[in-house]
Every structure is written in structure tokens, then in C-alpha cells.
Amino acid sequence: MIGESFIITMLLLIVALGLVRSKRKNWALATLPLILLPAVNAVAKPFCMFVLDIEFTFVIAVWTILIAVMASCIWIGFLTATFLNKRKSRLIYMLGCTGFNIILAAAFMWNHYHALGGEFSFF
């Protein structure tokens, strides 16, 4: 699912660049936390295999996804508190982005669980 994660990352970057070109820089900045989870998912396995030279297990996949989701949600909360003025837009943005992250993280975990043979070991 590295290719799909890379495509999702590129599509979200295109959306952010389109928002910058339409002079909506706050909304372009608000789309950046959504890029974090697919970008981390795209580079986690190659990083473990080629840089760290360790086996990419299901536990490592879950931890990288959970840390990326937490970091993205904290970033979303910060942007909600600082950039968005209207209460209704803050609520919709926060719920939409958090829902997107949770659904995407569940899909990534499901894929990693089945791709890694459904094995669950700590070592």
C-alpha cells in the first residue's frame, strides 16, 4: 500500500497548492495535517528495511500509524484553535479531518495486518 499512500499524499499536496493559488493560504495550511498519515505510511516500510535494517512487523506498522495519527490530530487541534474564526467551520473542519485520519488509519492497519500474514508478535 506504499503506492496508494504516495498517491494520497500527492493528491493532498495538489489540493494544498490549488488553495495557495486561489489565495486561501489558511485553508492550504489546514490541509497539511492530512498529508502526515499517508506520507508516514509510504516511507515507514522502506525506512525500516533499508535504513534501520530491521524487519517491518505488524507492531511497528501499528505504532508508526498511531504516532502519525496522534501528531496529525494535535496539529489539527492547533490549527483549529489558531486559524479558523467561525465556530461552525472549526467544528466541521475538526470532525472531518479527524474522521479522515481515523478511517485512513484503520484502512492502513487492516492492510498491514493482512499483508504481513496476520502475524502478531512483539519480536
Side-chain angles (χ1 to χ4, degrees):
M1 196 156 200
I2 293 172
E4 291 87 348
S5 297
F6 182 72
I7 291 171
I8 293 169
T9 304
M10 290 300 114
L11 287 173
L12 289 170
L13 276 173
I14 290 169
V15 167
L17 291 174
L19 287 168
V20 167
R21 288 197 57 178
S22 66
K23 296 182 171 82
R24 296 177 186 255
K25 292 181 183 177
N26 284 346
W27 283 105
L29 189 61
T31 59
L32 293 180
L34 297 177
I35 296 172
L36 186 64
L37 178 61
V40 166
N41 192 52
V43 299
K45 186 174 182 177
F47 183 78
C48 280
M49 293 176 65
F50 299 119
V51 176
L52 298 178
D53 197 29
I54 60 173
E55 183 182 349
F56 189 70
T57 63
F58 178 68
V59 175
I60 294 172
V62 168
W63 276 107
T64 56
I65 290 170
L66 287 177
I67 291 169
V69 167
M70 286 188 289
S72 180
C73 286
I74 290 169
W75 193 1
I76 289 167
F78 173 75
L79 291 177
T80 301
T82 57
F83 284 132
L84 302 177
N85 298 330
K86 296 180 182 176
R87 184 171 187 239
K88 187 176 181 180
S89 63
R90 279 189 281 185
L91 182 64
I92 292 171
Y93 168 74
M94 196 166 188
L95 289 175
C97 289
T98 304
F100 174 81
N101 275 335
I102 290 171
I103 291 169
L104 193 60
F108 287 157
M109 283 188 204
W110 179 268
N111 183 27
H112 284 302
Y113 181 74
H114 288 289
L116 296 172
E119 60 185 76
F120 185 78
S121 65
F122 288 100
F123 303 104

